Amino acid sequence: QRSTRRRQDVPNLPRLPVAKHTIGRTYTGSDGKVWRPSTFLTVTMGSYGPVLADGTPADPSTYDYRRAALDALHMPKLFDRLVQNLRRACGFSVQYFGVVEPQKRLAPHVHAAIRGTIPRKLLKQVIAATYHQLWWPAHDEFVYTAGHWPVWDEAGECFTDPGTGAALPTWGETLAEIDDDDSIGPAHVLRFGSQVDIQGLVANTPDCDRRIGYLTKYLGKSISEGIGDNDPTPSQAEHIDRLHDEVRWLPCCPECPNWLAYGIQPKNPNARMQPGYCSRKAHKRETLGCGGRRVLVSRNWTGKTLTEHRADRRNTVRETLAAIGIVMHDGYSATETRPDGEPRYDWHRLDRDDEDQVSYTAIIATALAKRQRWRADYERAKQAAATNSATANDTAQPAA
């Protein structure tokens, strides 16, 4: 969108023809053994002001909360651009698995495992030269405030000025204005900070196992874990509140209702929209802008589709439960499946006066209880498998 010319305030990028291979070069040791190491990369956002040891600003009045919020909302786009630049600069299709984690100051940073090795000098050059321009309408100052929000016009199916009744400019009209006026710059520019950590990874080493474990632990965690979940001090709570206040009112996407506060109709508007009440996770206090992708992974990282990953997980659960004699059918234990192999549920319409009608609360309670039973079965099976493995190892040990 808009101009693709590179900014003049960033270094140039080396460019190579991109080959189809994804795993990087190999190295031969003095003993003739061939190694194919990988890279562990950590990149962070820039500084928004000096911070204390507890992650709170030294001077909250000068801390750039708005920029911190905008960076959190759009950081995945910056990482996508970094990967694109790496592929062009390295000459092969770089594959990666990364996770987003909030720092103590609540700014997001990314840890990523990258297949293959990239010279540290080149990697730092690409990071320094990477940026993302947000070609959105300007959203620096409110045009409307609470009590004077734009009004929905049912007949015109649009939002109008509460005083004049004139329709607000649409999302498409504002983008066209940006394209037609060369004097208008991007609404925001994202850059990584100077803190970069680059480590080599060699398979089947303790360091590699630790770093892989560090990445995979986030597969089952929410971005909100680690943000204000450890009894924050008053200063930390105030820091969270200030950042949340920015995140709450900034637009997160073209369809965000917050655009109304800046005098612009969101994309695909409807009468239910109200500024400050976007339902997307990015605006919540628990996420502080990082409500989107927690895991950043390239499509060819595993070579498997999502359906294949689900099948692998199902097989793992099935094999674990089989160790304690629980047989699964279609992913569920035999105690929860009809023995004749028919579907688990019978469907029929309930009338309002049907005596068999069950309340929504009862249905949810039953579903939760069933999930808890399945989880208990699985945990019991894992414990039994671990015990059996420990017993087998003890039996295999030679007598003293």
Side-chain angles (χ1 to χ4, degrees):
Q1 299 184 40
R2 193 57 192 272
S3 174
T4 58
R5 292 178 300 177
R6 285 190 58 79
R7 295 178 62 88
Q8 299 302 306
D9 57 351
V10 295
N12 290 325
L13 278 166
R15 297 180 67 92
L16 295 173
V18 180
K20 292 184 178 180
H21 64 92
T22 66
I23 52 180
R25 59 171 294 192
T26 59
Y27 298 84
T28 303
S30 57
D31 57 355
K33 188 173 182 179
V34 178
W35 301 87
R36 195 189 298 274
S38 295
T39 304
F40 191 86
L41 171 68
T42 300
V43 288
T44 70
M45 304 308 295
S47 173
Y48 311 112
V51 295
L52 305 176
D54 62 354
T56 60
D59 184 0
S61 65
T62 60
Y63 193 80
D64 197 344
Y65 279 101
R66 185 176 187 277
R67 186 171 190 84
L70 285 168
D71 282 355
L73 284 167
H74 302 288
M75 189 274 300
K77 301 183 184 75
L78 179 63
F79 186 79
D80 288 344
R81 185 58 56 87
L82 172 62
V83 173
Q84 293 172 10
N85 290 341
L86 279 176
R87 288 169 177 164
R88 294 166 182 164
C90 299
F92 68 95
S93 182
V94 173
Q95 301 300 320
Y96 62 92
F97 181 96
V99 293
V100 180
E101 180 187 18
Q103 295 178 289
K104 185 178 290 187
R105 61 179 177 140
L106 304 182
H109 64 167
V110 179
H111 303 286
I114 300 175
R115 284 204 176 105
T117 56
I118 302 173
R120 283 173 166 78
K121 182 178 180 180
L122 174 61
L123 190 51
K124 290 182 177 180
Q125 180 184 358
V126 173
I127 294 171
T130 295
Y131 63 91
H132 177 74
Q133 298 184 118
L134 190 65
W135 289 105
W136 277 4
H139 45 287
D140 299 320
E141 297 181 358
F142 280 0
V143 175
Y144 302 100
T145 56
H148 299 281
W149 296 130
V151 178
W152 176 254
D153 180 4
E154 193 68 37
E157 295 186 345
C158 64
F159 281 95
T160 61
D161 184 282
T164 65
L168 301 185
T170 66
W171 177 256
E173 290 171 346
T174 56
L175 291 187
E177 182 181 351
I178 294 174
D179 290 337
D180 294 339
D181 190 345
D182 291 337
S183 66
I184 299 177
H188 183 60
V189 179
L190 289 88
R191 300 277 298 274
F192 285 116
S194 58
Q195 292 183 338
V196 178
D197 185 65
I198 305 169
Q199 301 291 334
L201 289 180
V202 178
N204 301 320
T205 62
D207 183 61
C208 181
D209 292 341
R210 280 195 304 271
R211 295 186 183 277
I212 291 176
Y214 186 77
L215 292 175
T216 56
K217 75 177 182 180
Y218 289 104
L219 287 173
K221 296 182 69 175
S222 167
I223 189 69
S224 61
E225 297 183 56
I227 297 180
D229 59 352
N230 295 317
D231 296 325
T233 63
S235 59
Q236 289 174 326
E238 182 181 359
H239 182 46
I240 295 172
D241 290 341
R242 284 173 175 261
L243 186 55
H244 176 238
D245 190 57
E246 291 286 345
V247 169
R248 179 186 175 186
W249 295 102
L250 284 170
C252 63
C253 63
E255 296 82 6
C256 183
N258 286 346
W259 283 115
L260 294 171
Y262 302 96
I264 300 167
Q265 292 198 68
K267 188 177 181 180
N268 303 323
N270 62 73
R272 298 185 302 275
M273 289 182 168
Q274 182 178 349
Y277 291 93
C278 181
S279 61
R280 292 172 177 81
K281 294 181 180 179
H283 299 284
K284 298 183 181 298
R285 192 177 188 273
E286 293 77 18
T287 57
L288 296 178
C290 302
R293 295 148 54 192
R294 178 70 190 259
V295 176
L296 309 172
V297 60
S298 53
R299 293 181 179 180
N300 295 331
W301 176 256
T302 61
K304 293 184 178 181
T305 65
L306 185 58
T307 300
E308 291 170 330
H309 281 297
R310 288 170 176 164
D312 288 344
R313 292 175 59 188
R314 188 180 300 112
N315 290 335
T316 299
V317 173
R318 181 183 288 111
E319 293 170 1
T320 304
L321 290 175
I324 61 173
I326 297 179
V327 180
M328 295 180 64
H329 302 286
D330 297 328
Y332 299 96
S333 64
T335 57
E336 308 292 350
T337 311
R338 293 174 55 168
D340 57 4
E342 292 297 319
R344 295 169 54 239
Y345 302 108
D346 289 327
W347 299 91
H348 64 278
R349 184 181 297 278
L350 292 177
D351 297 327
R352 291 182 179 276
D353 56 351
D354 196 322
E355 295 181 356
D356 294 332
Q357 186 171 353
V358 183
S359 70
Y360 176 78
T361 302
I363 293 173
I364 295 299
T366 301
L368 289 175
K370 187 176 296 185
R371 290 284 180 179
Q372 289 173 348
R373 289 199 300 273
W374 293 343
R375 171 57 65 180
D377 284 346
Y378 184 59
E379 294 297 333
R380 184 159 53 93
K382 286 202 303 182
Q383 183 62 39
T387 302
N388 292 339
S389 177
T391 302
N393 290 336
D394 291 343
T395 304
Q397 294 295 326

